[in-house]
Amino acid sequence: MSTERALRLPGIAYGGDYNPEQWPEEVWAEDMHLMGEAGVTMVSVGIFSWALLEPAEGVYDFSRMDSVLDLLQQNGIAADLATPTAAPPAWFFKAHPEALPVDADGRTLSYGSRQTFCPSSPAYRKASLRIANVLAERYADHPAVAMWHVHNEYGCHNATCYCDASAKAFRRWLRTRYADDLAALNHAWGTTFWSQRYYAWDEILPPRTTAAPPNPTHRLDWRRFCSDELLSLCTAEREVLRRAAPDTPATTNFMVLPTFDALDYWRWAPELDILSNDHYLMSDDPEPEVDIALSGDLMRSLAGGRPWLLMEHSTGAVNWQPVNRAKLPGEMRRNALAHVAHGADGILFFQWRAAKAGAEQWHSAMLPHAGTDSTIWRDVVLLGADLRSIAQVRGSTSSAQVAIIWDWEARWALELPSQPSSSVRYQDLVRDWYRPLWRAGIAVDFVRPDDPGLDRYKLLLAPSLYLVDDTSADNLTGFVERGGTLAVGFHSGAVDENCHVRLGGYPGAFREILGVHGDELFPLLPGQTVGLTGEVPRDARADLWTERIRLTGAEAVATYSDGPLAGVPAVTRHTYSAGTAWYVATRPEPATLAALMERICQEAGVRPECETPAGIEVVRRRGTDADYLFLIDHAGQGAEIPAHGVELLTGKAVCGSVTVPAGGAAVVREPH
Amino acid sequence: MSTERALRLPGIAYGGDYNPEQWPEEVWAEDMHLMGEAGVTMVSVGIFSWALLEPAEGVYDFSRMDSVLDLLQQNGIAADLATPTAAPPAWFFKAHPEALPVDADGRTLSYGSRQTFCPSSPAYRKASLRIANVLAERYADHPAVAMWHVHNEYGCHNATCYCDASAKAFRRWLRTRYADDLAALNHAWGTTFWSQRYYAWDEILPPRTTAAPPNPTHRLDWRRFCSDELLSLCTAEREVLRRAAPDTPATTNFMVLPTFDALDYWRWAPELDILSNDHYLMSDDPEPEVDIALSGDLMRSLAGGRPWLLMEHSTGAVNWQPVNRAKLPGEMRRNALAHVAHGADGILFFQWRAAKAGAEQWHSAMLPHAGTDSTIWRDVVLLGADLRSIAQVRGSTSSAQVAIIWDWEARWALELPSQPSSSVRYQDLVRDWYRPLWRAGIAVDFVRPDDPGLDRYKLLLAPSLYLVDDTSADNLTGFVERGGTLAVGFHSGAVDENCHVRLGGYPGAFREILGVHGDELFPLLPGQTVGLTGEVPRDARADLWTERIRLTGAEAVATYSDGPLAGVPAVTRHTYSAGTAWYVATRPEPATLAALMERICQEAGVRPECETPAGIEVVRRRGTDADYLFLIDHAGQGAEIPAHGVELLTGKAVCGSVTVPAGGAAVVREPH
Amino acid sequence: MSTERALRLPGIAYGGDYNPEQWPEEVWAEDMHLMGEAGVTMVSVGIFSWALLEPAEGVYDFSRMDSVLDLLQQNGIAADLATPTAAPPAWFFKAHPEALPVDADGRTLSYGSRQTFCPSSPAYRKASLRIANVLAERYADHPAVAMWHVHNEYGCHNATCYCDASAKAFRRWLRTRYADDLAALNHAWGTTFWSQRYYAWDEILPPRTTAAPPNPTHRLDWRRFCSDELLSLCTAEREVLRRAAPDTPATTNFMVLPTFDALDYWRWAPELDILSNDHYLMSDDPEPEVDIALSGDLMRSLAGGRPWLLMEHSTGAVNWQPVNRAKLPGEMRRNALAHVAHGADGILFFQWRAAKAGAEQWHSAMLPHAGTDSTIWRDVVLLGADLRSIAQVRGSTSSAQVAIIWDWEARWALELPSQPSSSVRYQDLVRDWYRPLWRAGIAVDFVRPDDPGLDRYKLLLAPSLYLVDDTSADNLTGFVERGGTLAVGFHSGAVDENCHVRLGGYPGAFREILGVHGDELFPLLPGQTVGLTGEVPRDARADLWTERIRLTGAEAVATYSDGPLAGVPAVTRHTYSAGTAWYVATRPEPATLAALMERICQEAGVRPECETPAGIEVVRRRGTDADYLFLIDHAGQGAEIPAHGVELLTGKAVCGSVTVPAGGAAVVREPH
């Protein structure tokens, strides 16, 4: 990620997606007036405007966009101007039906929605760069344009296409990865198995639906390719924009949220000037605040510790889940402040004005169908004021003593078919470990397994690292050797970058530093649990996974108390060189896992930001002159928390303690 | 619906589908004998006989049909002669593979079953009208032919086809709907959203599978088109038949039953001379008698209050559900009498003789596999006698003080994707409200929202009217203004005929007459409930849906007692002009809803036909000289009910009270 | 099944699939060493080696196979040499894309996995016979080659293909079945129903996806064809192999296990020299030992009572179920000994060495990822010794007084769509009846319904025989007439070989011998149960199915105590001629069914092999000089069982009683 090009806006950016083209022009003036009332400072425009901007191939109509940008400029609102390439017009598909995506079953998808194009289509690439270029050249110098919004949610609906053009692109990508050496590919994919050997590059296809289980490495390379293929579209657009406006920063909205895993954002992040994220709550998530925190910490980590923007979230319900719940009283405000606490320097919504028509007509907005006489609108205005109160937080960073290893390749590999258990899900495993730290007020970064600067942390957690290459394995080993504490979750270190099992005992790459040797995996059936005994809470139980390991240097912290592995170690601790390595060979239930994490943190010398009662989230952002202590009450009880400085939301001095109102928040400026 | 052409049969028609072609001719004589024994007066013939009647294109063989019709004529049994167009022969598809239907995924379906043709196929249209015409000309004057049975269950399996011919037909239909104005279509569909604007008619496709959510108005217009497209096939056949036999009435068998919603029967009904219905019980429905009543009332309403025919139901189990339960003792008789009570002047079954082979071999029939030595056959003979006993009921009508608004467009729109809750189902909502009225013995009509004669009712119920156009909204408002009582269910009045949200607060179109203003929808997750307090039973609860409304004229009858909307009105009552308007903003559980309906009825001055104990269904048909009071015991306890006249099933005089036997029925002739 | 060609190996064959091509040659020497340690005597080689053996069309490379076979020969290990035809190479599909299979929806499947070819493809047939022939000619006389392993698991993934070539082959098969008489086909399929009549052979298609339910007989004939079509590939390969090596026996590995039902192995068995089976446990099966026993008895019966080989099972977890559980302590040994007890003369595993890469990398093996320092390896070595201890069991047979009728056609027909209940599953019904016999230690054979030698049994059970032709029905009737006891499960005798319902009352074909007459089927909904009274345990209940029958000669053993059929017979007993016939018209819960089976056995004079406590499986194999009593403890309690002779696993003399260790087994040689 470049730092040359920054977003030049004061305070915390505030706003949302703005689609004036869906409304008569008489509404626009009201929009400006109300944006002023709410304190909106930036809006995203043009995201789905291709069909209006280019009504026919090479014919352009910028009249409406000109007016909108001028109006924003006149009203002091910055524009985050989007390339409209996420939704090509109907005329494009009429002319280029071959650019429609094809699924793994060979079914060609139709247009009439959005994001229904093949990422490898030459026609799409040409048309999208053409409109991006015309747009960039026209508005490069428009004073309203503060940032480019490249495309929209890459891969949200069309992360994969299995058509022949995609096959060709896949082969091109593979020739690069394997340095044009087909034997290397055959080795990596293990094609001796099931008679899958390729004798010519053009025999290779996307992993289309077949009769029996797929080759895992074929699938894994396909996922790598799909992420890279979309990234190449993104960087191509970015280049067009940068050429026209060298100083304007470019972002694209990521989707760091539980239901999306198509893109390896570690590879994307360096290509963008500013990172931004879209984050939505799952209606059936009993603790969505955990997900906001995790997602925010991951975004901040992707941004190299620097602030990022929340490009989209919702004021209330979304419309794409089976049942879309509204937000509870105060929840929108808590959500927004939590995003800021975890590093966001901008709070934007999808969308400004609730739509009358179209697929998202029941998605909430800043200005609801009911208009300004509504709870949501009043809350939106109040939130604008809140954000102004904490404007000085902008640019502050954070620091953590604990890092969690996050790796998209390990995630993809873990969730391939034909695994010991299809119930093991990466996101769940990471969240299981993240949650007790979040509850305890312990700051967490996320890192790549090959991060060269691990020594800045006291404690490193790898809840799930099924796939790990030698470099990364050595990296983690070195961290422990030099005195660090590492905790590793089950089924980690199992395979290398080609998905080849590491032989000689489980958990392959980490056998030595963990001081254990496993010879057989015992995943548990749904509903099946086992007891734990040892240094764990009474009646502790675990589920999902067990392994038969024996100690080869480690000590047993917990063992199974029943089942076929009774007496076998379940959690181990190993002093290795100057450091310590823990292995958690099962999934303890939450209370036991929390106790375990507490002990690991204590031993590693990791402390919370601040002692708070249960339900009070505590996060610290660190500025040049002061720290900012965010205290958010998710339990609805309120609390009195020791602090000194100024509470920014109320402007009141804090001498000794600050009150967190029930369901509310406090942001305390603590001068250095 | 025309009244020129009537079915000229005495009493209640009795019979079923008759497929003698599946049996050797020696069986036919036995059929005639047994039909006589059972009192059969009409059978449907020829429904799936195309392959036999036209063994090759333009080559006909009517020998078997001639014999069958003559035999029926000789035995005094009327023929309901079907056009065989629901199942084109294999030779047709061999010659016209393009007439096979294509699904939304682009998959061409194969023949070898039934109803596997594209409704927009020119080849199918030509071939079907040709055979209909040859049949009509041959049998126009055959004395056995009492009625034409056009096709069979239009849309049962092929209500939609997404092929290119269908695309062409869809565009033709759209050009008519939008008066050849593409801008009007773009406006109606809200195509500014997601860059969906169409610049040429031929860019428009059926709503084939796409990557992301569809355009809702596109989908809604597609459903309208699909219903109209099949209707155009129906009227084309009817014209052919009418030309050949101007005095013979034509029907087609509707499917007014819970699992079918493809056709807008309000548009179909006027095109037919006699309405008929196919009705089957769902094996897992704990109260199928409610469904029979609802379906019957809807059929009678479609028929403008006039009698209709039950064209198909079953003597026992069907064969197309996961598990197909048999009927309980007396259930078939109760079912048949209930259909008559709700307006049927004919009781027919699928089918006369249980099939040996084919996909419906395990579907029950009048004459089971076991033959005449069977409970079903004995019950069939008894039912024939019962129907003769009540022959005088024929032609009688009914009258109701309550009407429920039923609208297929509102149903389709409510169940589009991307709604606040996918758990909200139209049929459930209507049945929830219908059920307590049925239990209380209150007669109900169904009406269109734009029915011009609403003032004939005291009480109007709109359990679900998500989509409503201005004309209909004004129609309901006028009804209240003129003194009527209207009760409206949640999420009604939300969108106009184009699926555009009505802005300014929920429930859009009805905000003013209901005297409430809603600003946010709070659908509930599966399993989630909220408490109700106020003028409701103690411990009342509700589920599925809540809304945040405030009173703008109405009074709160019930409010939420817990959850995020505690204290917010849940049920309201508004005196508006001369009338009263109720809003039920949630789904109360059954006992609470029943209490609410009882109160609404009482206040509106609506009374039951007759006070009966729980479990006794009571329905009144009104004849020229007498009323007919149907009393049916679904609870198995029997009852003594006050009445005067003659009980027709037993022929006994009724002086003061009539006995309804346990699990049985009574039909009391009450002279005017 | 021929007996000319036998496997000439001493003792119980021991080994597994061996894929040295997946490993560097330096590993091969270790393999030989370890095979020696484990006592391996035979391995299957070359199963998926096509792409290596024939790198381009007509170009061969046998260097590696030469080395492997020589190495095996040098180490005294027999080779079960496979034709590699289960997985054609990528180059084949590149050249012959038309050989890819097409599913019922018209979707062409892709290669890159295994078994993705159309069974009717001429190109595939030609290429597979060519490689089989080249292989056979090269290795016909290689001294290591003890057996041919034809293909692999025919039909595991591609039992059906719906492409045009398959359509052609289907028509060819139909012309044979119906003696070129299209009228006979139309009659058999009942094509008069739903206008399905065919006027030309080329109008007939595979039962591709259609809009409405399929024709059942069309579907049934399709299943027959699909089994025969694969069989014709198998016999064609076998002919090629036999021509090259007339004395080498050929097998193909069957899949007699719960999840596979594509092939009619009664038709396959006679075509092979030796039968072999692949058997895997279902992770969620609480009693997989019942399944092993059932499968083993069925294999032995398919083999005409002679021994068979267990070609594949697993040392631990598999990898193709949602969650793949490991085996419990001792379970692998118990499994292996149980297979031998039920007739296996060879115990092989998939696979020798756990794979590093590919779709089966997480499938267990004899030599696990952890290597020899592992429980599995130690158990594998011990099992090798166990099998040597019981070597003399080889060739011994067994004898049973009870036979269960097993029929794939009846299974296919029972599970066709549009049945009274889709909850009725053949495998469950048979296992329900098999289980109490297994528990009681009663030996069971499986027989075809038309088995000409039924009189060798005292008791014949037909848990489910929905479809039965007249010959078979007469065969069973004769068995009873001559004094046998027959018990028949519900919904049996219902249809003939064309799926035509047998008229006149249920259960059609068996009405007379059972002395009952049924007129209506009452399947029960999921969760619904009915009480039983009479000669059954107190509080006995039943579920799944009931029927209304009346007695026409039989006596009622149990009647329903509640529900709509209260008082109707549920279980009946009929003395018919010299024999006895029982009808079980419902599904009693296990304890009641066990009591019923016990009574039926007692009355029929059937006794257990040996009285054992619950949880001890007892099976007897009968040799020339001695019997071998297998006692296996599945309950983990151990037991003392009366016996005399020598316990072979320990070599200890048994005088009066033998100890079965907890979780272990004993094999007692009982001299005649």
Side-chain angles (χ1 to χ4, degrees), chain B residues 21-23 48-56 84 87-91 94 101 107-116 157-158 283-284 315-329 350 354-362 364 368-371 373-376 378, chain C residues 104-106 171 187-199 202-218 417-423 466 491 494-496 498-506 517-526 544 548 550 564:
Chain B
E21 64 278 14
Q22 294 174 19
W23 301 91
F48 292 109
S49 58
W50 194 343
L52 292 188
L53 294 180
E54 189 178 3
W91 61 252
K94 188 81 194 162
R107 177 177 67 164
T108 299
L109 300 176
S110 185
Y111 57 91
S113 176
R114 67 170 181 180
Q115 277 195 341
T116 308
H157 305 288
N158 64 341
S283 290
D284 57 359
T315 58
V318 299
N319 69 326
W320 43 268
Q321 300 179 24
V323 177
N324 300 284
R325 77 162 178 86
K327 290 198 175 178
L328 301 176
F350 178 81
K356 274 186 78 162
E360 295 191 310
Q361 61 186 161
W362 292 109
S364 61
H369 291 141
D373 182 5
S374 62
T375 302
I376 283 184
R378 286 183 287 270
Chain C
D105 287 349
R171 282 179 215 126
H187 169 75
W189 290 15
T191 55
T192 304
F193 178 80
W194 281 2
S195 188
Q196 296 169 351
R197 181 160 300 241
Y198 296 101
Y199 289 102
D202 69 356
E203 289 167 9
I204 301 174
L205 295 177
R208 293 173 182 160
T209 304
T210 178
N215 178 303
T217 319
H218 183 186
S418 305
Q419 278 279 340
S421 169
S422 62
S423 302
Y466 171 68
H491 206 29
V495 301
D496 67 16
N498 293 324
C499 267
H500 291 200
V501 176
R502 293 177 176 278
L503 301 179
Y506 311 125
H517 180 277
D519 72 335
E520 198 171 359
L521 307 175
F522 283 68
L524 301 184
L525 297 176
L544 191 66
R548 185 172 48 225
R550 58 183 167 79

Side-chain angles (χ1 to χ4, degrees), chain C residues 550-561:
Chain C
R550 58 183 167 79
L551 305 175
T552 57
E555 60 183 309
V557 172
T559 56
Y560 301 109
S561 59

Side-chain angles (χ1 to χ4, degrees), chain B residues 51 89 177 189 201 225 281 289 294 298 328 330 338 354 363 402 407 487 536 540 544 551:
Chain B
R177 180 171 178 88
W189 290 15
W201 288 100
F225 156 74
L281 311 186
E289 52 272 20
L294 189 160
L298 181 47
L328 301 176
H363 194 296
V402 182
D407 188 48
V536 286
L544 191 65
L551 304 175

Side-chain angles (χ1 to χ4, degrees), chain A residues 223-263:
Chain A
R223 298 211 67 170
R224 289 169 170 142
F225 156 75
C226 290
S227 176
D228 284 359
E229 190 72 354
L230 285 167
L231 178 54
S232 83
L233 287 175
C234 178
T235 55
E237 284 201 25
R238 185 209 58 197
E239 279 312 287
V240 161
L241 298 167
R242 195 172 281 177
R243 204 166 51 229
D247 299 325
T248 306
T251 192
T252 190
N253 45 346
F254 287 1
M255 284 185 295
V256 174
L257 44 78
T259 53
F260 183 78
D261 74 345
L263 305 182

Side-chain angles (χ1 to χ4, degrees), chain A residues 72-361:
Chain A
L72 289 171
Q73 164 66 5
Q74 289 151 22
N75 286 274
I77 297 167
D80 170 36
L81 179 55
T83 61
T85 54
W91 60 252
F92 170 77
F93 290 113
K94 188 81 193 161
H96 297 286
E98 84 289 355
L100 287 166
V102 173
D103 73 9
D105 287 348
R107 176 178 68 164
T108 299
L109 300 176
S110 186
Y111 57 91
S113 177
R114 68 170 180 179
Q115 278 195 339
T116 308
F117 61 85
C118 162
S120 301
S121 159
Y124 169 76
R125 181 175 285 255
K126 190 174 157 199
S128 62
L129 295 183
R130 188 180 59 220
I131 182 70
N133 188 53
V134 175
L135 189 85
E137 295 200 338
R138 184 171 190 96
Y139 296 117
D141 301 321
H142 195 289
V145 176
M147 184 162 63
W148 298 117
H149 183 291
V150 181
H151 200 89
N152 184 61
E153 296 182 339
Y154 274 104
C156 181
H157 304 289
N158 63 340
T160 56
C161 171
Y162 295 82
C163 77
D164 290 342
S166 299
K168 225 164 140 181
F170 182 38
R171 282 178 215 127
R172 201 162 44 224
W173 183 92
L174 288 169
R175 295 182 86 130
T176 303
R177 179 171 179 88
Y178 294 103
D180 248 327
D181 179 357
L182 195 53
L185 178 143
N186 275 306
H187 170 74
W189 290 15
T191 55
T192 304
F193 178 79
W194 282 0
S195 187
Q196 296 169 351
R197 183 158 299 241
Y198 296 101
Y199 289 102
W201 288 99
D202 70 355
E203 288 166 11
I204 301 175
L205 295 177
R208 293 173 182 160
T209 303
T210 177
N215 178 303
T217 321
H218 183 186
R219 276 272 187 106
L220 178 62
D221 273 350
W222 174 252
R223 298 211 67 170
R224 289 169 170 142
F225 156 75
C226 290
S227 176
D228 284 359
E229 190 72 354
L230 285 167
L231 178 54
S232 83
L233 287 175
C234 178
T235 55
E237 284 201 25
R238 185 209 58 197
E239 279 312 287
V240 161
L241 298 167
R242 195 172 281 177
R243 204 166 51 229
D247 299 325
T248 306
T251 192
T252 190
N253 45 346
F254 287 1
M255 284 185 295
V256 174
L257 44 78
T259 53
F260 183 78
D261 74 345
L263 305 182
D264 182 348
Y265 287 133
W266 288 123
R267 293 172 67 85
W268 283 63
E271 303 291 346
L272 298 156
D273 300 312
I274 294 175
L275 294 198
S276 61
N277 195 40
D278 292 356
H279 189 273
Y280 292 98
L281 311 186
M282 299 306 298
S283 291
D284 57 358
D285 184 348
E287 281 186 312
E289 52 272 19
V290 180
D291 196 62
I292 289 173
L294 188 161
S295 160
D297 287 347
L298 180 48
M299 278 304 298
R300 189 190 64 241
S301 303
L302 287 166
R306 289 194 303 281
W308 51 279
L309 302 175
L310 182 68
M311 185 60 82
E312 291 184 19
H313 75 319
S314 72
T315 58
V318 299
N319 70 324
W320 44 268
Q321 299 178 25
V323 177
N324 300 282
R325 76 163 177 86
K327 290 198 175 178
L328 302 175
E331 188 175 10
M332 178 185 80
R333 181 169 180 260
R334 290 192 299 276
N335 292 169
L337 291 173
H339 285 293
V340 175
H342 291 275
D345 269 6
I347 295 296
L348 290 88
F349 292 96
F350 178 81
Q351 56 182 334
W352 166 250
R353 189 180 271 276
K356 276 185 76 161
E360 296 192 309
Q361 62 186 158

Side-chain angles (χ1 to χ4, degrees), chain A residues 51 107 110-111 113 322 373 375, chain B residues 105 199 203 210 213 422 519 550:
Chain A
R107 176 178 68 164
S110 186
Y111 57 91
S113 177
D373 182 6
T375 301
Chain B
D105 287 348
Y199 289 101
E203 289 167 8
T210 177
S422 61
D519 72 336
R550 59 185 167 78

